[in-house]
Amino acid sequence: MEDRRSEIVAAEEELIEKAKKDGVETVWDRKAKMKVQCGFGLAGVCCRNCAMGPCRVSPVPGKGVSRGICGATADVIVARNFARMCAAGAAAHSDHGRSICLYLENASRDGQINIRDEKKLAAVAKRFGIETEGRDIYDVAHDLAAATLNEYGKPHGNLTLPTALPKKRREVWDRLGVTPRAIDKDIVSIMHSTHIGCSGDAENILKMSMRASLGDGWGGSYIATELSDILFTTPSEVETTANLGVLEENSVNVILHGHEPVLSEAVVAAAEDPELIALAKAQGADGINLCGMCCTGNEIALRHGIKMAGNFLQQELAVVTGAVEALIVDVQCIMPSLAKLSQSYHTKFITTSPKAKITDSLYIEFDEDNAYECAKQILKEAILNYKNRDREKVLIPHEKCDAVVGFSTEAIVDTLDKVVNSNIDQLQTVKPLADVILSGVIRGAAAFVGCNNPKVEHDGPIVKMIKYLIAHDVIVVVTGCAAHAAAKAGLLLKEAKEIAGPGLKKVCDLLDIPPVLHQGSCVDISRNLQLVGELANYLKLDISDLPVVGAAPEWMSEKAVAIGMYVVGSGIDAWLGVVPPVTGGPFVADYLLNKMEDDYGSKFFVEPDPDKAAEQMLQRIESKRKKLNI
Ligand code: NFS
Ligand code: SF4
């Protein structure tokens, strides 16, 4: 398999150069203008939680000011800031989940919102104790919508946790007092307790951070994935192409960027409308070329094979190509810079969500009750804009790469099932996976998740670490922007098995899969949780016993902080390539990097050097194997 890295970097540099020539600014320019970033902020010791402040205490223990005006210590300030990051991250993912619940509430046989996966509907309904026998599926769906919405704000009790969660893990949470109660409630608790004059105990604040984050992973995000599958189908293997080279010279190029699949599904359907295709042709274009970006890119790639235009750091570069008629967004990870940038080109920057209005964008509020017509209206804006493309200003990079995506847990289990032909219950079907891990053919599994960050070489660490691990017989799953990085580098191709170790290669041959499995968007990390949970259940182990690791080498968002917490809280060690703002709190930093292991059997590792991080991950896998005597 050829190494595409240098071509990928060259193609990106070409666009960055073009931006300079066009006199427009990108994220890297603004990063450079920021010069040296604030040391207090980096260490997490700056507090603005009340108007006696802002207070900044010394990031070096024993030196300078040690307490805020209210008396908060560095650890309390760091823990409060960290908790608020978890709260914001969990809120974003979980509110995405809520949108899907509300969408399901409006599903009807004759309307525009339909059930596409009845089997999954029945399975999820069962886990919420909803009767399905002999009932109309839409009645079941409405009950499920009500039950899932109730998980957000129920006043008493705990979250209805998925059956994939091992009993032993639940006991750990109960013992530590971090079992999630209700999704919104645990987020609100953080906001309350981190208000001036409330919690002054860093350890307790970290527990609250964990509780809300677990409510995201095993609650809000988990529900988002389950309900998206019910409404829009459960993904299975499908081919796509990745990187900005998917843009076309002679088509109306439309990029869908953001997160919730509700808008993007409607646009995908509308893009097939003969009326719109005819309109595009009447404008002199070959047709409509729909592409996805960031998590929306993952959502529509794994359900429809729609091309993946790029990840977080490519959103501005997409506009810089001069070939994009419309960039349509909903919520999250959308740079506000796009408004000004798109004005320097012909691109229409179309915002659609009241949750993410952006000044100077074209705002067309997405009408869920009239999704198809609304999507058509938005696409018409793009098509009619084709004539405004300035051919002199166009630079579409050549770089693109095919990829195989869509490995939901169900798809993985189906693939394994075909091999053993077991046709037995769900739990038994993870047996072949357990067998190859126990026998050592595969040493373990690693999940690569999270974002890009201009502090780090774009996609570099993600790709480097994945390559190292697959070469050492570790199977890899990817989601979010990390999934785009892998796709662009050719790691989602079946031929990538050629750079895998002999054991993993054998498994890839047998199952006809790539060594790196694309599991979807960031809320779909719930699919990772489900898979490792089922595996632990089958082996009668806790997740923390398994030779399984996770990494977010280029993380930047608050969502990634919540993810890191729920991944570690679930018993999986997590490697961060960007240092989180906790170094100014000696207790907090020590807890996350060391003591956490005593509580959860897993902890955080911070290692900016990708070579070292990948080696550490492998070592950790081997040490877990040793403990299991395998
Ligand atoms: Ni995840 Fe999706 Fe990308 Fe990071 Fe943003 S798109 S939810 S947060 S940047 S991986
Ligand atoms: Fe300063 Fe305390 Fe107010 Fe924070 S809450 S700004 S540390 S006085």
Side-chain angles (χ1 to χ4, degrees), residues 362-428:
L362 170 61
Y363 184 67
I364 304 177
E365 190 159 317
F366 184 62
D367 176 5
E368 292 186 358
D369 298 330
N370 208 359
Y372 190 76
E373 285 309 316
C374 187
K376 266 178 86 174
Q377 186 206 340
I378 294 171
L379 276 177
K380 260 186 206 158
E381 288 283 345
I383 295 167
L384 295 174
N385 194 25
Y386 180 71
K387 60 177 179 302
N388 298 325
R389 192 192 292 181
D390 178 353
R391 302 269 158 186
E392 309 262 287
K393 267 191 148 181
V394 171
L395 175 72
I396 300 176
H398 294 298
E399 191 50 37
K400 60 180 169 183
C401 183
D402 289 338
V404 182
V405 299
F407 292 93
S408 59
T409 306
E410 288 85 345
I412 294 174
V413 165
D414 274 354
T415 311
L416 294 169
D417 196 34
K418 268 183 221 131
V419 177
V420 288
N421 218 352
S422 60
N423 208 12
I424 31 184
D425 67 42
Q426 170 94 0
L427 207 57
Q428 288 294 318

Side-chain angles (χ1 to χ4, degrees), residues 322-385:
V324 175
E325 274 58 54
L327 185 57
I328 305 166
V329 303
D330 57 1
V331 292
Q332 300 170 24
C333 300
I334 300 148
M335 289 191 195
S337 65
L338 291 170
K340 183 156 183 270
L341 180 69
S342 56
Q343 284 168 357
S344 298
Y345 298 87
H346 78 301
T347 306
K348 290 211 167 172
F349 174 44
I350 305 177
T351 47
T352 60
S353 168
K355 291 175 202 162
K357 287 190 173 183
I358 296 176
T359 309
D360 291 334
S361 64
L362 170 61
Y363 184 67
I364 304 177
E365 190 159 317
F366 184 62
D367 176 5
E368 292 186 358
D369 298 330
N370 208 359
Y372 190 76
E373 285 309 316
C374 187
K376 266 178 86 174
Q377 186 206 340
I378 294 171
L379 276 177
K380 260 186 206 158
E381 288 283 345
I383 295 167
L384 295 174
N385 194 25

Side-chain angles (χ1 to χ4, degrees), residues 47-55 68-72 77 80 196:
C47 182
R48 291 183 293 104
N49 290 12
C50 87
M52 292 191 284
C55 299
I69 294 167
C70 67
I77 292 174
R80 285 195 307 215
I196 160 79

Side-chain angles (χ1 to χ4, degrees), residues 93 259 294-295 312 332-333 450-452 480-482 522 556-557 559:
H93 273 156
H259 284 79
C294 288
C295 280
F312 182 70
Q332 300 170 24
C333 300
C451 330
N452 307 135
C481 286
C522 289
M556 63 85 199
S557 75
K559 285 177 286 179

Side-chain angles (χ1 to χ4, degrees), residues 25 82 196 215 232 305 321 360 369 374 425 494 505 554 629:
E25 207 182 57
F82 184 80
I196 160 79
F232 309 120
T321 64
D360 291 334
D369 298 330
C374 187
D425 67 42
K494 291 185 180 172
K505 181 173 182 301
E554 304 174 29
N629 270 323

